[in-house]
Amino acid sequence: MLKTNRDAEQHATQAIQQLQEQTDLWLIEKDDLQRDSDAVDKRYQQTFDHVASILLPNVNRTVIENLAQVMDAPLLMEAFERWHLSFREHDAAVNEITQDREFAYRDALADPDTGSYVLKIERLENKKRTITPRLSEYDFPEFQYLYERHYGDQAQESNFSRFMRVVTLSAQRETKAMQVIEANLGKGSFPRAAEEYGELKQTLEEIDRELEETQTKITHIRSLTTRYQEHRNWLDHYPARVKTELLDVLAEHLRSANFDEIFTRTNEAVRTLLAHCQALRKKRGYLRDLSRFVEKQIKEREQIVAEMERARERWSEEPDLALESDPTNWLIDQVELKKRGTLRWIRFIGMARRNILAFHRFNWYSAYMKHGRFLAFDAFTFSTPEEMPPDEACRKLFPEVHVWRQRHRQHKPEFSFFEEALTGVVDSNEWRDLAADRAARNEPSFT
């Protein structure tokens, strides 16, 4: 019996240490559960992807329509229709491009080395290079001044223009310009020089126009070629891309599908695949139940430790005072009870976890699903040689077990359902060996 605050403080320290040791054990179990859950999750994802690849061997419309109907997966058909619409658009674009005459002769027209359009541009550029220096001879202000005024072209000059030339003294400026022109060009007369300049300028404009037109044609051909290649690449990769998306859609659908409804609409081979998926789904659920139980135990002990630390601090302030009430039940008895519970529950959890992970008889599970409704936990128990925790413990660990037992008024697993379901299954005789092993064992005590 604890009498003083000092006694309570010392026992609180011991109790906290013991609870923390218990918590460490629970944390180890938590890590083990997390490791196993991650492994099952990975297998779960891989299995659904594998099942989807078997159910959908190709992207044939008939196959997809039938699969969408059997699996009750409308999103599968919607995804296919979306891809097929894109296929028609790309295919139509390819057909349109191939009808273009210039595209059909693209190598002969736009080849970088031998294309007729490319060679034409080269000839025009060479011609332009011979004309440009000759035009530069006329590129001085006096010549450009007279050329822009159409000097010497009587047809372009009105009476008013002649009058204005006299009034503004333009004649004097024109005379000076003519002198400079004669000195620079020596053509003998401005009209002849202007005529030659005009012809050269017109020729250059025609060359530039032809260059632009020809370059536009080359650009058009290359644009068509680029577009064609893009559409062609899309079409070439269409089967693989559409199948990848459809497999993703199907796998995602299977992860949330009601297999009990789908099961009866499929053949035996598919049923085994669906049973595999369903069993893994149940495994994940049971492992999560165990994780929640462990989390609850850890949290519970952390809360008790926090309360004890607050009480210990309060007792340490006045160690010699007599206790108002005896905390023995809280500091000693409760901790001992928690210790026994920790060891017992961790043992039970380890047993259940190993048995759940060991289950692999998916053809048996398919037979169970075909036979009727059942408790997956009992199916796992029936198919494993290692003993399960006592049923009373399983009800606490797995809410589904508790609900099933209450609903069906069961006090323990009843394996007759599974025995009947396996009638005619190829390896069903193995259950008798399992049953014999199970009968030879004693069920572990709950206490």
Side-chain angles (χ1 to χ4, degrees), residues 40-53 55 71 73 244-259 262 273-274 276-278 280-282 284 288:
V40 171
D41 284 345
K42 182 178 180 180
R43 198 177 310 124
Y44 181 76
Q45 302 297 334
Q46 292 173 342
T47 298
F48 279 106
D49 292 340
H50 176 64
V51 171
S53 66
L55 295 175
M71 294 295 165
T244 297
E245 178 167 342
L246 292 180
L247 288 175
D248 289 343
V249 171
L250 179 57
E252 190 61 33
H253 171 75
L254 290 174
R255 290 184 184 103
S256 59
N258 186 335
F259 294 125
I262 298 173
L273 295 174
L274 296 180
H276 193 164
C277 296
Q278 178 76 325
L280 284 175
R281 181 184 290 175
K282 286 297 184 179
R284 294 176 82 222
R288 287 172 180 171

Side-chain angles (χ1 to χ4, degrees), residues 24-61:
D24 290 340
L25 293 176
W26 283 111
L27 288 171
I28 292 172
E29 186 63 29
K30 178 184 176 182
D31 290 342
D32 290 343
L33 272 168
Q34 186 62 55
R35 179 201 63 216
D36 292 339
S37 295
D38 290 344
V40 171
D41 284 345
K42 182 178 180 180
R43 198 177 310 124
Y44 181 76
Q45 302 297 334
Q46 292 173 342
T47 298
F48 279 106
D49 292 340
H50 176 64
V51 171
S53 66
I54 294 174
L55 295 175
L56 187 64
N58 56 60
V59 292
N60 178 274
R61 172 181 285 274

Side-chain angles (χ1 to χ4, degrees), residues 168-203:
T168 59
L169 302 177
S170 294
Q172 296 180 13
R173 183 178 179 187
E174 292 168 355
T175 300
K176 292 180 180 179
M178 284 296 295
Q179 293 173 354
V180 175
I181 291 170
E182 289 291 334
N184 287 347
L185 301 178
K187 300 294 182 180
S189 69
F190 173 76
R192 199 170 87 184
E195 181 180 1
E196 181 178 337
Y197 175 74
E199 290 174 353
L200 290 173
K201 188 176 181 183
Q202 183 179 356
T203 301

Side-chain angles (χ1 to χ4, degrees), residues 69-222:
Q69 183 176 4
V70 170
M71 294 295 165
D72 192 21
L75 292 180
L76 189 65
M77 202 61 204
E78 289 180 15
F80 175 76
E81 292 292 1
R82 184 174 65 254
W83 273 93
H84 193 61
L85 177 61
S86 295
F87 175 87
R88 291 198 300 267
E89 292 173 349
H90 285 278
D91 189 55
V94 166
N95 290 333
E96 180 183 351
I97 291 172
T98 54
Q99 297 302 315
D100 189 292
R101 185 177 180 278
E102 289 188 325
F103 175 78
Y105 294 96
R106 58 190 179 280
D107 291 336
L109 296 174
D111 183 271
D113 298 320
T114 61
S116 59
Y117 285 164
V118 175
L119 295 177
K120 182 179 180 180
I121 286 179
E122 186 177 342
R123 289 194 302 272
L124 291 171
E125 291 285 2
N126 289 335
K127 189 174 180 180
K128 183 176 180 178
R129 280 192 288 272
T130 62
I131 294 175
T132 303
R134 293 172 62 189
L135 278 172
S136 64
E137 296 177 8
Y138 301 92
D139 192 17
F140 55 94
E142 291 79 7
F143 178 82
Q144 294 297 326
Y145 170 72
L146 294 183
Y147 185 80
E148 290 173 4
R149 294 172 65 86
H150 303 284
Y151 178 76
D153 187 351
Q154 300 298 324
Q156 298 292 330
E157 188 174 26
S158 64
N159 292 330
F160 179 75
S161 298
R162 296 191 194 95
F163 172 74
M164 289 302 297
R165 288 174 62 239
V166 174
V167 172
T168 59
L169 302 177
S170 294
Q172 296 180 13
R173 183 178 179 187
E174 292 168 355
T175 300
K176 292 180 180 179
M178 284 296 295
Q179 293 173 354
V180 175
I181 291 170
E182 289 291 334
N184 287 347
L185 301 178
K187 300 294 182 180
S189 69
F190 173 76
R192 199 170 87 184
E195 181 180 1
E196 181 178 337
Y197 175 74
E199 290 174 353
L200 290 173
K201 188 176 181 183
Q202 183 179 356
T203 301
L204 184 61
E205 289 173 354
E206 291 174 355
I207 290 173
D208 286 337
R209 184 167 55 254
E210 283 193 72
L211 281 171
E212 183 178 359
E213 291 174 354
T214 308
Q215 186 59 56
T216 299
K217 291 178 180 179
I218 292 176
T219 302
H220 172 67
I221 291 173
R222 289 175 178 169

